[in-house]
Amino acid sequence: MKSILLKTQIITFLLFGFAFAFAQQSMKIPGDAAFYMEINGKQLNKKMNWGKLNPFLQGITKKDKKNKEKPSWNDYSKTGIKYDATQYHYAAFNDSVQTYTTHFILDNKEKFQEFINSVKKKGLEISKRNNYSYVDIDDDVFVAWSGDRAVLSMINYNKPQKDLWLDEAVADSVAVVADSAVVAIDSVYAEEPEKPFDYKEEIQYLKDDIKYLKDNIKDNNAEIARIQKDIKYLEKHHQYPEEKKDTTDTEYSENHDEASPAPEMEEPEAVGTEEDIAFQKEMDSLRIEKFKIVKKFAEDSFDRYFSSNLEIDVPKDMLSFRDPDSDVFVYTDYGRIVNEGLYGKMMKRYSFSRFFEKAYNSNSSYNLYFDKDKVKLVNNYQHKDAETQKSISSVYKGKKNRKLTALINDKSIGYYAINVNGVKYFDMMYSLLKDTGEGEYQKEMDLMMETMKIILDEEAIAKIAPGNGIFVLNELKPKTVEYTDYDYDDDYNEKEVKKTKEVMIPNFIFAFATENEKYWSRVFNLLITNKELAKNFSKKGDFYAFKEEGKNNGYFDQLYFTVKDGIVYLTTSTDNLTPKSQSEISKKWAKDSSKYSLSGRLDIQKLLIGLEKEFKSASERKTLDVLRKNIGELYYKSEVKGESVQTEIDYNIRDSAENSLMYFFDLFDEIYKIQEAEKKPQIL
């Protein structure tokens, strides 16, 4: 008896245990998710100044003039959402459904309910389910909540059509859903049977077209003549003719338009033929049926989440490079986004599609930091094939060349330096080409690869350019160039006019290392000895020069080439080859440029000063002034870290903002106010 009782207790315990475990399963993100993001609210919320953000958010969410209703919510810091908690975002797509989902925690259910009521459509009731409530705030946006958890889901559905890029239609991965809404929309989309071709009917259509064209040809010719006259008048006077006071035509009167804006009028009810009305009803029916399907998808997703333990289960490979100290973490499956998107479908038509599938079969992770004085973004790139990733990493492990670093100086606008392994580049290409043949062409692809290895002498090619180079932009200089414009006399006769304008031209130097100086000397000598090329190329001392004869409308006066001490130079001025003194900061840049596989910097403030003449209008000038005052500097470096290629981008801010997050809001707010101030009432 005791034995039976003991067994019964064990079985009961196991049954309850399994039931409890099943009920407490985490919510797994979709297997076809191509994007995942975590927002570290605990850190990010401390950096937000809601006193500044609220007015900014209120300004950009104002309703248009047609809707006189004012926004009922004016405090976005008190939406009921717990901003200092972690938020989870992910996006997934397949051949017919694209979804974007956000999970967040609530700290005030009443405030959240008020916020939802302020953004949902008037009169729309909130739907109640077994363990949650939800409402659609738009046709494709749904929000659900229960307790202290809430989910926002944006869903787009398109009925699968025959794939234009493939010979056969792609099977719909969600078409198997047994749902009455799907059946309904299928019936709406069903096409009528095609009628047999009637040539007599087709002839009548063509005759009607001819009649229509004949009836309208006179009107069309008159309209064309009027427009041509307007074009000539505008080209000469840069405005339309002034309107006479006794005329009722306001088409050309800008002053009248500005002084007398058209009164707002309610849009008249649509009036059309029976065919138009029938078409509109059909479109409304399609929209309704599409909404039913999207709603069903949202409900299914909400059911799964609120029946779980409300925890998000994320695959470990997505979190491999997540830094818990970052403000925002993002993972992207680049291979899925490209290969399963429109581009991937297009490429599948070609025999080399597998090469692109393999080349793009990678993912990237990003950690974003809003520090006090800078924004830092760290990206880890990783190919999904381990062997291919090794080949890519080997390219980034090149030799260092310190001769190039002497070209960096304090006054330069920016530079970009590379130190990669040219020989390993060929190995990487062979790795990408391996096993990418299409079925019967695999043998041909393998043979082609072997032939390439035999014909190409990778080491000899790499000696020409081993993989060390640098580009330095020193400054932007003004230059007056000629161009051709067109003017008109009093009779609107066109004539060419030679004019001049001032443009900014870059003063730069590009240099790269070589182990075969003789090769480049032969190339440059060919430029000055060839009859055709010699018209534009010449030699001055140790430099070869390029200049277009008789032209003063280019962005370069001359370009100079030379090879010296194992370095090939291309520059706009020979003075750029003279070593410049380097301060401590430029010495640091020089050290980094030789240390990292890829590195660079850009002083955007100096760049904008050089581009000042490109900003013409008053609003553009005001925007330029704001940018010049606040814009910062970009710094870039890339190297191999473990099993990935890591790239760090730093944006150093210049002003005295609270932190780099609020810096961006302050900058956007200033630019937004300038644009709003320049807007004029639009006349319908």
Side-chain angles (χ1 to χ4, degrees), residues 316-335:
K316 291 183 179 179
D317 59 336
M318 286 188 175
L319 305 177
S320 299
F321 299 102
R322 180 187 60 173
D323 180 0
D325 293 328
S326 65
D327 295 322
V328 180
F329 169 76
V330 174
Y331 167 89
T332 57
D333 188 334
Y334 191 64

Side-chain angles (χ1 to χ4, degrees), residues 46-187:
K46 297 176 182 177
K47 301 174 182 179
M48 288 187 179
N49 183 334
W50 287 104
K52 289 183 177 181
L53 285 179
N54 259 324
F56 177 78
L57 294 174
Q58 291 168 19
I60 62 176
T61 56
K62 285 180 181 177
K63 297 194 175 183
D64 56 71
K65 294 180 180 180
K66 291 182 180 180
N67 192 340
K68 296 180 181 179
E69 178 189 353
K70 295 182 179 179
S72 60
W73 197 265
N74 56 11
D75 192 348
Y76 290 92
S77 66
K78 298 177 181 178
T79 59
I81 298 174
K82 187 175 177 61
Y83 289 118
D84 59 356
T86 303
Q87 288 187 18
Y88 303 91
H89 302 242
Y90 53 85
F93 67 92
N94 52 42
D95 46 8
S96 57
V97 181
Q98 301 84 41
T99 64
Y100 187 95
T101 306
T102 301
H103 293 262
F104 45 92
I105 297 176
L106 307 179
D107 60 4
N108 190 318
K109 293 188 291 184
E110 290 73 22
K111 279 289 183 184
F112 182 74
Q113 186 79 48
E114 291 177 19
F115 177 66
I116 292 299
N117 288 331
S118 73
V119 296
K120 72 178 180 63
K121 296 176 182 177
K122 272 193 172 182
L124 185 64
E125 296 294 331
I126 293 174
S127 300
K128 301 285 186 179
R129 301 284 284 186
N130 292 335
N131 51 358
Y132 66 90
S133 303
Y134 82 96
V135 68
D136 52 296
I137 58 178
D138 208 336
D139 287 349
D140 54 0
V141 181
F142 300 81
V143 179
W145 62 94
S146 178
D148 64 347
R149 302 300 174 108
V151 185
L152 181 144
S153 185
M154 293 183 285
I155 305 174
N156 180 55
Y157 173 80
N158 293 296
K159 182 176 176 65
Q161 303 292 332
K162 184 177 177 64
D163 196 338
L164 298 177
W165 302 109
L166 298 177
D167 295 331
E168 297 179 359
V170 178
D172 183 8
S173 61
V174 296
V176 294
V177 178
D179 182 71
S180 58
V182 178
V183 176
I185 196 168
D186 284 344
S187 64

